[in-house]
Amino acid sequence: MRPCLTRYPVDGTNGRVEAFSTTRRGGVSTGSYGEFNINEFCGDQPECVLANRRLLAEELGIGVQDIIVPHQTHGKTARRIDAEFLGRSADGRRLLLEGVDAVYTDVPRICVGVSTADCIPVLLFDSRHNAVAAVHAGWRGTVARIVESTIAAMVADLHASPDEMAAWIGPGISLEAFEVGDEVYKAFLEAGFDMNIARRFPADGAKTEDGCKWHIDLVECNRRQLVAARLSERNIYVSGICTFSRCADYFSARRLGINSGRIYSGIMLK
């Protein structure tokens, strides 16, 4: 049995990096976690999570301990994965990954990744300094500009060069599917975003004058943050996969409920 991965094009990287997102195929989990889930924080059976992690580690040719899975809380904390972190015990690593929504490293053969099920995963590669990052950008993280702050952390810690970076935006909920309340729209507005990222769509039971509700384009909002951080638009890859409409292949919390599996989007220096 092998996990079915969505691998992203890495042209121009000279084979130095691997970037991917998992699908729901090729694992041992069942029910709303089926089949492939490596996230231990969403209610799946621990033995299934471990078995799936072993399958992914085998696919990547690394050890299970070399797959980094933070416990995300929709904040903007980014954690560097370095020799000090890797030298800690399993409990020590777990403590340092608590409340972390982005991870980055310049250590080869360490897979850093984030878990999503409608939120937007963003993967980064700095070709000049051989550094990679994975960012979890839900709507709260997007409002907090976690993509920009993670890039800033890479610049400060690793002397990264945004103009030398490539980015991959993985599977996430689309504009058409991401219906939000007025409070979410207001959060983006008050944070200073150009609100052409939002549109109104008809909604059943909407108690509004026009019978519509706001929708937000999280993918485009994060793409613009990458450009604002000085990445070249030609180096930004957008998967175009909507988790809500393709929930048979990718986990979607809005379709399957929060007690379901998570996509793991990872990136690794070879």
Side-chain angles (χ1 to χ4, degrees):
M1 183 178 296
R2 295 177 60 182
C4 180
L5 307 182
T6 297
R7 285 187 161 92
Y8 300 125
V10 291
D11 301 339
T13 69
N14 295 319
R16 288 181 288 162
V17 68
E18 179 159 6
F20 65 91
S21 292
T22 61
T23 70
R24 295 183 63 183
R25 310 300 178 194
V28 302
S29 295
T30 60
S32 58
Y33 301 98
E35 302 165 346
F36 193 84
N37 168 63
I38 70 164
N39 186 290
E40 64 183 298
F41 307 109
C42 58
D44 197 1
Q45 295 297 317
E47 59 271 21
C48 293
V49 172
L50 179 57
N52 288 332
R53 287 195 186 189
R54 286 172 174 162
L55 289 170
L56 180 58
E58 183 177 355
E59 182 73 14
L60 298 175
I62 60 177
V64 173
Q65 72 280 2
D66 298 326
I67 299 174
I68 307 300
V69 187
H71 186 196
Q72 302 156 192
T73 56
H74 295 277
K76 59 181 293 186
T77 298
R79 174 73 64 207
R80 180 178 178 180
I81 307 303
D82 55 11
E84 181 182 356
F85 173 92
L86 296 170
R88 290 179 176 265
S89 66
D91 286 343
R93 289 185 178 196
R94 181 186 291 271
L95 182 63
L96 287 177
L97 291 174
E98 182 66 32
V100 169
D101 282 81
V103 280
Y104 58 99
T105 192
D106 59 356
V107 181
R109 301 188 62 75
I110 296 295
C111 183
V112 292
V114 290
S115 303
T116 59
D118 288 332
C119 295
I120 310 301
V122 181
L123 305 175
L124 303 166
F125 170 56
D126 176 4
S127 59
R128 180 178 295 178
H129 298 93
N130 250 26
V132 293
V135 184
H136 163 242
W139 77 259
R140 291 178 178 84
T142 301
V143 166
R145 292 182 168 85
I146 186 173
V147 164
E148 293 181 68
S149 63
T150 300
I151 292 172
M154 294 175 73
V155 171
D157 288 350
L158 304 175
H159 308 292
S161 303
D163 56 347
E164 298 289 335
M165 283 186 180
W168 296 265
I169 299 178
I173 196 164
S174 64
L175 165 69
E176 291 77 11
F178 190 46
E179 177 186 296
V180 302
D182 289 347
E183 72 284 356
V184 176
Y185 177 90
K186 184 178 180 182
F188 279 87
L189 179 65
E190 292 180 345
F193 288 93
D194 184 337
M195 293 313 294
N196 64 11
I197 59 167
R199 287 175 57 191
R200 290 182 71 78
F201 287 82
D204 292 339
K207 297 179 180 179
T208 59
E209 186 175 333
D210 60 359
C212 296
K213 285 192 174 181
W214 286 111
H215 288 231
I216 300 284
D217 192 339
L218 289 180
V219 171
E220 175 61 14
C221 195
N222 282 284
R223 191 195 69 81
R224 292 182 188 182
Q225 289 187 44
L226 291 167
V227 174
R230 294 191 296 110
L231 272 74
S232 169
E233 295 200 42
R234 68 176 181 274
N235 292 333
I236 301 172
Y237 170 85
V238 179
S239 71
I241 298 169
C242 174
T243 47
F244 185 87
S245 62
R246 293 188 58 183
C247 65
D249 300 310
Y250 300 90
F251 292 109
S252 168
R254 287 206 171 193
R255 293 290 296 273
L256 302 169
I258 60 171
N259 295 318
S260 58
R262 301 291 186 267
I263 302 161
Y264 179 77
S265 293
I267 188 164
M268 179 179 72
L269 295 167
K270 292 185 176 180

